[in-house]
Amino acid sequence: MKQIRIFRRYDESHPPSFVEIEKWLLDVNDILEFDLFRSEGKFSEKILFWSKNTIIDTEIKTEIDQMRALYIRQSDLPLYNLFVDKIVQAVARNEHIPIIKKAAVIYRQASVILDEMFENPEELENVPKSKKVVNTFVDTIFSDSYAIESMIKITAYDYYTHTHSINVCIYSLSLGSFLELNAITLEELGMSALLHDLGKSRVDSKITNKKGHLTDSEFEEMKHHPLYGHTIALKIGIRDNRILDGIRHHHEKLDGSGYPDGLMGKNITLFARIIGVCDVFDAISTKRSYKDSMSSYDTLMLMKKTMQHHLDMEIVDAFIRMQQHDDILSAV
Ligand SMILES: [Fe+2]
C-alpha cells in the first residue's frame, strides 16, 4: 500500500515553493528522482503524494490521471528538467499526444536549454543541445498538421528569459516549412535562428536587459552582437556557412543600412532574410513588460507598410499567407 503523509506547514516567512508539472508526462514504470505533491484545501496546502525512487504502477498512474494538478518542489526543477529532456523527442514524435500539450512541453524544455546556453555560450555541448531543440521542433512540425499553429500560439507565453530566440526559431521553421524547404535545410535554418542572438551574451547585461530605448553609445555596443555571435558559433565548432551567415547577417537591411556589413538586396542570404523578418515580427508582436503587444495581423501590416526598404517583402507576404492558412485551419 502506498504511504501518504501530511506535509508539514511551513514557516510563513520561508514558504517552500512548488511548481506544477506536466503530469501527463509521467508513465507506468517511471521511477522519478523527485517527490510528487498534490494540492489540498482552501490554502492549497501541498501534500506528499508519491516519493522519489518509487516505481509508478498502473494504480498510481490512474490516480495521477484523475488529479487536477501535480507539483514538485521548486528546488527539484533541475531534476524534473532532466527527466523531461530524456523523453522530449519521443513526446514530439508521439501522434497520440494532443499537439497543444506537446508544444507547451517542448517550448518549456527549449527555454531551459536556451537559458543554460546563454549562461555558458562557448560550451561545445551547445551544438548538440541546439540540434536537439531544433530536431524536436522539426519532428513536431512534421508530426501534425496543426503543429505550426500550436507552436505559434505558444510563443505568446513569456515566462522565460530567452523566449525571443525560441520564438524566432519557431517562426523561421514554420516559414521555411511553408516555403517547402527540405528537411536538412530546415534543420540548418532552425539552428541559425536559435543561435542568432547568442552574441548578446557578450554585450553588457545592463544594455541587453534595458527596458525602453538605448542611448547612441549603448546601441553602438549592441550592434556588435551579430559579429560576437558569429565568433562564438565558430568557436563552438559550427562550420556550416548558411548557419554562420544567418547569425552574422540577421540585422542587414535590403537598402544597405543594416549592420555589421551593410549588405544590400539579394547579397543578404535567404537564412538571414527569413531570420530578419521573424526577428522583427517577434520584437513587435510579443508583449514585453515595457510595452503592449500587437496582434499578428497588425504587426505584419505595419511591417509591410513601413519596412519595404529593409525586409524582404516576399518573405513578409509568405508570413501573411501562412497566418491566413493557419486561421483557416483553426476554423475547421
Ligand atoms: Fe539580433
Side-chain angles (χ1 to χ4, degrees), residues 33-133:
E33 290 180 52
F34 41 85
D35 294 328
L36 299 173
F37 296 82
R38 62 194 166 90
S39 185
E40 215 176 77
K42 195 158 72 168
F43 300 105
S44 301
E45 207 170 355
K46 299 297 179 287
I47 296 167
L48 182 69
F49 167 71
W50 201 242
S51 300
K52 61 182 171 186
N53 301 323
T54 319
I55 192 161
I56 294 179
D57 57 22
T58 40
E59 191 192 335
I60 291 303
K61 169 71 177 153
T62 312
E63 260 191 73
I64 290 174
D65 290 345
Q66 288 163 354
M67 289 165 86
R68 199 188 55 78
L70 208 49
Y71 303 82
I72 58 167
R73 289 184 197 91
Q74 174 99 37
S75 55
D76 279 341
L77 203 50
L79 292 170
Y80 177 65
N81 289 335
L82 275 178
F83 164 76
V84 178
D85 200 47
K86 278 185 205 144
I87 58 169
V88 72
Q89 278 183 308
V91 168
R93 291 191 192 119
N94 189 332
E95 290 167 11
H96 303 294
I97 298 173
I99 185 64
I100 196 72
K101 276 184 164 185
K102 237 192 238 188
V105 76
I106 289 165
Y107 190 88
R108 203 186 64 83
Q109 201 54 20
S111 307
V112 170
I113 290 173
L114 261 282
D115 283 357
E116 286 168 8
M117 215 185 284
F118 270 77
E119 201 62 42
N120 297 300
E122 293 179 15
E123 200 72 53
L124 293 179
E125 271 298 292
N126 287 340
V127 178
K129 275 186 187 170
S130 17
K131 268 190 189 149
K132 194 171 164 186
V133 169

Side-chain angles (χ1 to χ4, degrees), residues 164 196-198 200 222 225-226 247 250-251 259 275 279:
H164 173 69
H196 79 283
D197 266 349
L198 195 57
K200 282 191 182 169
M222 186 67 125
H225 80 268
I247 296 170
H250 70 275
H251 285 292
Y259 58 90
I275 296 168
D279 185 21

